Amino acid sequence: MQRVDQPHFRVWTYRSPAIVLGCSQHGLRPLAVARLSAGVDLLERATGGGAVLTGPWLVGVSVVLPPDHTWVRGGLLDSYRSLALLHVGVLAALGVPVQAVPPAEAQSTAARTGARTGAPVDWACFGGLGPWELTDEQGRKLTGLAQRRQHSGVLLVAGTLVIAPPWATLCVALGHDQDVAALDRRTVSCAELAGHAMAPHALADALQRALQRDLQGSA
């Protein structure tokens, strides 16, 4: 693969729902195909982590960086930091108070959240908590992160819940019907934290501007 020589990014909104499996979840595909709701697509991504339910409730970001870019020089975990903090700033400006959980605090934050909501839902991206992912003060997850690293470059991805998703669509398709309530308890949306309706394009436009500002001409 040709080496990435400058940053590239794209901000995504979604017209229709889809279940996106992590690269290690290929074995779940036959079950999901058999149980998919009508109108829901099934996809697989190159990055790791748990299954994601995309749709009109989610705004996604993909960033491709050179392997020596300042955002990703610090190693695996620290590579999430700059993208996470960019999201924190954008969300704060939109009236959505969140925090990015540093690696040293991720385990304790997850434990406190688990004490209130039950065990993590490990098969779903939004069912657990990783370093630099975004939560509210209660530890409920708003933004999930993932990455793929190669010698030619680094892919960072993020997904943010703008409104509450229909978790049953994901849980039923993957044979985890019992986890719908747990995902409801462990997650929060921009609309809930802001206290008013929020259109996905408002967040997408703000992220687009922030990424252009922070990545244009960076190295």
Side-chain angles (χ1 to χ4, degrees):
M1 182 180 293
Q2 185 175 358
R3 187 183 189 279
V4 177
D5 59 3
Q6 62 182 341
H8 301 277
F9 68 87
R10 185 163 181 178
V11 181
W12 308 87
T13 56
Y14 306 86
R15 293 182 180 178
S16 57
I19 293 173
V20 185
L21 300 176
C23 62
S24 64
Q25 294 183 308
H26 182 77
L28 295 175
R29 186 177 181 86
L31 175 64
V33 168
R35 301 186 58 151
L36 275 180
S37 301
V40 179
D41 291 327
L42 181 64
L43 306 170
E44 296 178 42
R45 65 180 186 272
T47 58
V52 176
L53 179 64
T54 64
W57 44 84
L58 190 80
V59 171
V61 170
S62 300
V63 179
V64 178
L65 300 169
D68 58 351
H69 189 274
T70 54
W71 277 24
V72 295
R73 286 177 189 162
L76 183 67
L77 296 183
D78 202 50
S79 293
Y80 291 120
R81 181 178 183 273
S82 293
L83 183 59
L85 295 181
L86 180 144
H87 276 73
V88 170
V90 167
L91 289 163
L94 294 174
V96 182
V98 290
Q99 58 192 2
V101 181
E105 300 175 18
Q107 187 172 359
S108 60
T109 299
R112 290 195 302 271
T113 303
R116 292 190 301 271
T117 64
V121 182
D122 292 332
W123 59 268
C125 171
F126 281 89
L129 181 65
W132 296 114
E133 294 187 317
L134 272 58
T135 72
D136 67 356
E137 290 184 346
Q138 299 178 44
R140 295 180 298 175
K141 186 168 171 177
L142 181 85
T143 299
L145 303 169
Q147 67 178 284
R148 184 181 185 187
R149 302 176 71 92
Q150 295 183 318
H151 292 303
S152 55
V154 179
L155 168 66
L156 302 176
V157 297
T160 299
L161 300 175
V162 181
I163 60 175
W167 289 123
T169 300
L170 177 67
C171 293
V172 171
L174 297 184
H176 294 283
D177 309 42
Q178 74 283 357
D179 287 333
V180 175
L183 284 172
D184 280 331
R185 292 192 301 267
R186 298 185 69 88
T187 56
V188 67
S189 69
C190 294
E192 182 176 348
L193 292 176
H196 57 75
M198 181 177 294
H201 70 78
L203 175 58
D205 290 348
L207 286 168
Q208 180 83 18
R209 292 191 296 271
L211 287 161
Q212 286 174 337
R213 178 198 67 214
D214 285 15
L215 290 178
Q216 189 171 29
S218 65

